[in-house]
Amino acid sequence: MSGTNNVAQARKLVEQLRIEAGIERMKVSKASSELMSYCEQHARSDPLLVGVPASENPFKDKKPCVIL
Amino acid sequence: MSELDQLRQEAEQLKNQIRDARKACAEATLSLRLHTTLTQGHLAKIYAMHWGTDSRLLVSASQDGKLIIWDSYTTNKVHSIPLYSFWVMTCEYAPSGNYLACDGLDNICSTYSLKTGEGNVHVSHELAGHTGYLSCFQFLDDNQIVTSSADTTCACGALKRASRQPPFTGHTGDVMSLSLAPNTRLFVSGACDASAKLWDVPKGMCRQTFTGHESDINGICFFPKNNAFATGSDDATCRLFDLRADQELMTYSHDNIICRITSVSFSKSGCLLLTGCLGVTDDGMVVATGSWDSFLKIWN
């Protein structure tokens, strides 16, 4: 049994469970498809997925300068 | 039947009600092709780092008791701030870049002002109140910070007034991590009781509880849109939970990963979930990893 050793704790737990039981839930199929479509829409602008051209990459290894 | 027995019975009935309602919504399963790339497997738990919102400056806490701010483009140190405590669990940048926060063994969240104009960095505010170490915090703005603690609570404090809202209680284990929802005043917390909870900051209450993990949740991160979040756990899995379906959508695990996941981070589009001890910049360009061998590496 989770820690409801006294009446006050038990009342608090029941109140919280009532709140959580009362929420409206969406079907998993709908929730999942919305997440997937968000990913698909934004994948093209995700630098970690599509890469970054070297000219725009501030983290590119810098080549040393050679003074001629 | 005593009142306590009645309440316990009602609690069980409500839990069953929640379980059945979730099942009724689980008419489909999310099936994704899982691409796993194992880069260097540093899964160190005690290492703190965070990107600034400019995606260029990075703060890390080193084990010799200093907070270091790096310019990741030039790899130069911008600030080196000695701390009073050698034991730093977490450090954080305010979204404006004006403040840094870090914790210490004393359970106090100290913020440092970075833009004093004098060149040196000093403690600007201190927020006390937790009775256990601070595991994580995030700035809502320059003045408000949400904290999580080993005392099993989370709290929202106003730095200038050094005051806090009544703590968010409900977890039955150390709270290890939290993540603010994009664009709203909600956040999720992950704890050693293997559950994650969604909290409403203005209302000061817990809205939802998510179970499924079999061990401590160490890392938690909101999806770029505030409908879902991912968790990383001592049970060697990451899970994706959806707020509106009120349940887990997917478990990510890999035969080669048998050790604890200490932190998780989504890429900008949400397509990639990175795990270990790391952070992804706001502009999505890079991933920085911190490890026991004391190197900060930047990957892109």
Side-chain angles (χ1 to χ4, degrees):
Chain A
M1 246 303 172
S2 57
T4 51
N5 297 325
N6 61 53
V7 171
Q9 276 179 336
R11 257 192 226 133
K12 224 175 144 195
L13 180 62
V14 165
E15 262 168 46
Q16 181 61 35
L17 286 169
R18 279 190 195 141
I19 292 171
E20 295 185 22
I23 64 163
E24 276 195 29
R25 291 173 181 83
M26 184 186 276
K27 296 272 187 218
V28 164
S29 56
K30 182 159 192 271
S32 308
S33 71
E34 285 185 20
L35 283 183
M36 296 293 289
S37 76
Y38 182 94
C39 286
E40 275 157 31
Q41 273 169 33
H42 290 84
R44 259 154 298 173
S45 57
D46 188 333
L48 288 176
L49 276 181
V50 301
V52 171
S55 54
E56 289 168 35
N57 185 357
F59 299 98
K60 186 183 74 161
D61 282 332
K62 293 171 177 52
K63 295 192 173 59
C65 290
V66 174
I67 298 176
L68 298 166
Chain B
M1 207 189 269
S2 71
E3 191 185 354
L4 187 56
D5 286 333
Q6 277 178 330
L7 286 167
R8 281 183 177 156
Q9 199 176 67
E10 190 178 351
E12 275 312 293
Q13 281 165 357
L14 286 164
K15 284 180 190 168
N16 290 338
Q17 204 181 310
I18 292 171
R19 192 199 55 213
D20 292 342
R22 283 172 174 163
K23 265 204 196 132
C25 288
E27 21 70 278
T29 44
L30 180 60
S31 64
L32 289 172
R33 222 168 27 124
L34 188 61
H35 260 314
T36 326
T37 310
L38 299 176
T39 55
Q40 293 190 254
H42 295 294
L43 296 176
K45 189 162 191 166
I46 318 286
Y47 195 97
M49 58 131 291
H50 203 259
W51 285 102
T53 49
D54 61 359
S55 300
R56 176 172 179 161
L57 295 181
L58 173 63
V59 62
S60 70
S62 72
Q63 303 227 298
D64 59 0
K66 290 204 190 76
L67 271 186
I68 301 180
I69 298 175
W70 308 83
D71 178 333
S72 60
Y73 289 10
T74 61
T75 71
N76 292 334
K77 284 184 199 174
V78 175
H79 288 294
S80 176
I81 305 161
L83 301 172
Y84 296 116
S85 167
F86 281 63
W87 186 262
V88 180
M89 289 264 320
T90 186
C91 53
E92 194 68 29
Y93 245 116
S96 64
N98 294 332
Y99 293 97
L100 261 190
C102 80
D103 67 316
L105 270 180
D106 46 9
N107 309 334
I108 290 177
C109 173
S110 305
T111 55
Y112 294 80
S113 172
L114 296 173
K115 306 268 160 88
T116 55
E118 302 153 1
N120 53 341
V121 174
H122 58 264
V123 177
S124 59
H125 301 104
E126 286 187 335
L127 207 55
H130 278 297
T131 55
Y133 68 79
L134 296 181
S135 51
C136 190
F137 29 75
Q138 290 207 302
F139 283 90
L140 279 170
D141 53 51
D142 269 7
N143 187 40
Q144 289 192 290
I145 195 162
V146 181
T147 56
S148 64
S149 167
D151 66 10
T152 77
T153 71
C154 297
C156 179
L159 294 164
K160 292 199 171 85
R161 281 177 298 147
S163 66
R164 303 185 334 157
Q165 275 179 235
F168 300 97
T169 57
H171 275 301
T172 54
D174 300 9
V175 187
M176 297 307 294
S177 185
L178 67 93
S179 178
L180 294 180
N183 309 319
T184 67
R185 294 171 87 75
L186 299 175
F187 71 95
V188 283
S189 61
C192 291
D193 60 10
S195 77
K197 284 179 185 279
L198 175 70
W199 306 92
D200 184 318
V201 175
K203 294 194 178 143
M205 59 177 275
C206 170
R207 284 213 201 157
Q208 289 168 252
T209 300
F210 301 86
T211 53
H213 272 297
E214 292 163 13
S215 187
D216 305 2
I217 294 177
N218 300 312
I220 198 165
C221 183
F222 253 103
F223 188 76
K225 202 167 177 232
N226 57 3
N227 297 330
F229 63 90
T231 51
S233 163
D234 275 2
D235 65 12
T237 67
C238 294
R239 289 169 205 244
L240 179 68
F241 292 91
D242 188 283
L243 298 187
R244 297 155 313 163
D246 186 42
Q247 58 191 287
E248 180 186 319
L249 293 185
M250 243 198 114
T251 300
Y252 303 97
S253 63
H254 193 280
D255 291 337
N256 288 1
I257 301 177
I258 51 167
C259 43
R260 319 136 70 205
I261 312 284
T262 54
S263 87
V264 290
S265 217
F266 275 106
S267 72
K268 198 176 174 196
S269 62
C271 297
L272 291 178
L273 179 62
L274 304 127
T275 67
C277 170
L278 53 79
V280 178
T281 50
D282 275 1
D283 65 5
M285 288 272 269
V286 295
V287 171
T289 58
S291 71
W292 278 120
D293 65 7
S294 27
F295 287 113
L296 264 184
K297 293 174 187 149
I298 297 179
W299 310 84
N300 79 348

